[in-house]
Short mmCIF file of all heavy atoms in Angstrom, two decimals:
data_model
loop_
_atom_site.label_atom_id
_atom_site.label_comp_id
_atom_site.label_asym_id
_atom_site.label_seq_id
_atom_site.Cartn_x
_atom_site.Cartn_y
_atom_site.Cartn_z
N ILE B 190 136.29 113.47 31.38
CA ILE B 190 135.24 112.47 31.40
C ILE B 190 135.87 111.08 31.26
O ILE B 190 135.57 110.15 32.02
CB ILE B 190 134.23 112.69 30.27
CG1 ILE B 190 133.46 113.99 30.51
CG2 ILE B 190 133.30 111.52 30.12
CD1 ILE B 190 132.50 114.33 29.39
N ARG B 191 136.78 110.95 30.31
CA ARG B 191 137.41 109.67 30.08
C ARG B 191 138.26 109.26 31.27
O ARG B 191 138.16 108.10 31.73
CB ARG B 191 138.28 109.73 28.81
CG ARG B 191 138.48 108.39 28.11
CD ARG B 191 139.16 108.59 26.78
NE ARG B 191 140.44 109.28 26.94
CZ ARG B 191 141.62 108.65 27.00
NH1 ARG B 191 141.65 107.33 26.92
NH2 ARG B 191 142.73 109.32 27.14
N LEU B 192 139.04 110.21 31.78
CA LEU B 192 139.89 109.87 32.93
C LEU B 192 139.06 109.37 34.11
O LEU B 192 139.42 108.39 34.76
CB LEU B 192 140.66 111.13 33.36
CG LEU B 192 141.99 111.37 32.66
CD1 LEU B 192 142.60 112.67 33.15
CD2 LEU B 192 142.93 110.21 32.93
N CYS B 193 137.98 110.06 34.38
CA CYS B 193 137.15 109.65 35.51
C CYS B 193 136.60 108.23 35.30
O CYS B 193 136.63 107.40 36.20
CB CYS B 193 136.00 110.64 35.73
SG CYS B 193 136.51 112.18 36.48
N ALA B 194 136.13 107.98 34.09
CA ALA B 194 135.56 106.67 33.79
C ALA B 194 136.62 105.60 33.95
O ALA B 194 136.38 104.55 34.56
CB ALA B 194 134.98 106.64 32.40
N GLN B 195 137.80 105.84 33.43
CA GLN B 195 138.83 104.80 33.46
C GLN B 195 139.34 104.53 34.86
O GLN B 195 139.84 103.46 35.14
CB GLN B 195 140.02 105.22 32.56
CG GLN B 195 139.68 105.13 31.07
CD GLN B 195 140.83 105.58 30.22
OE1 GLN B 195 141.29 106.71 30.34
NE2 GLN B 195 141.29 104.71 29.34
N ASN B 196 139.20 105.53 35.73
CA ASN B 196 139.72 105.36 37.09
C ASN B 196 138.62 105.12 38.11
O ASN B 196 138.92 105.12 39.31
CB ASN B 196 140.56 106.58 37.48
CG ASN B 196 141.90 106.60 36.76
OD1 ASN B 196 142.77 105.82 37.06
ND2 ASN B 196 142.02 107.48 35.78
N GLY B 197 137.41 104.98 37.66
CA GLY B 197 136.34 104.65 38.59
C GLY B 197 136.00 105.79 39.54
O GLY B 197 135.59 105.57 40.66
N ALA B 198 136.21 107.02 39.08
CA ALA B 198 135.80 108.16 39.91
C ALA B 198 134.45 108.69 39.38
O ALA B 198 134.24 108.73 38.17
CB ALA B 198 136.86 109.29 39.84
N ARG B 199 133.55 109.02 40.28
CA ARG B 199 132.28 109.57 39.84
C ARG B 199 132.48 110.99 39.38
O ARG B 199 133.46 111.67 39.73
CB ARG B 199 131.25 109.58 40.97
CG ARG B 199 130.76 108.19 41.33
CD ARG B 199 129.51 108.31 42.16
NE ARG B 199 128.31 108.43 41.33
CZ ARG B 199 127.66 107.39 40.82
NH1 ARG B 199 128.08 106.18 41.03
NH2 ARG B 199 126.59 107.59 40.09
N MET B 200 131.47 111.50 38.66
CA MET B 200 131.51 112.86 38.18
C MET B 200 130.14 113.46 38.32
O MET B 200 129.16 112.85 37.92
CB MET B 200 131.90 112.80 36.70
CG MET B 200 132.74 113.93 36.31
SD MET B 200 133.40 113.58 34.71
CE MET B 200 133.14 115.18 34.03
N VAL B 201 130.07 114.62 38.94
CA VAL B 201 128.79 115.25 39.16
C VAL B 201 128.80 116.62 38.45
O VAL B 201 129.67 117.47 38.72
CB VAL B 201 128.51 115.46 40.68
CG1 VAL B 201 127.13 116.06 40.89
CG2 VAL B 201 128.64 114.14 41.41
N LEU B 202 127.83 116.81 37.58
CA LEU B 202 127.76 118.07 36.84
C LEU B 202 126.54 118.85 37.37
O LEU B 202 125.43 118.36 37.33
CB LEU B 202 127.58 117.78 35.36
CG LEU B 202 128.62 116.84 34.75
CD1 LEU B 202 128.36 116.68 33.24
CD2 LEU B 202 130.02 117.37 34.98
#
Side-chain angles (χ1 to χ4, degrees):
Chain B
I190 293 177
R191 206 172 57 97
L192 273 177
C193 285
Q195 288 178 301
N196 287 288
R199 289 196 85 85
M200 216 167 136
V201 183
L202 308 181

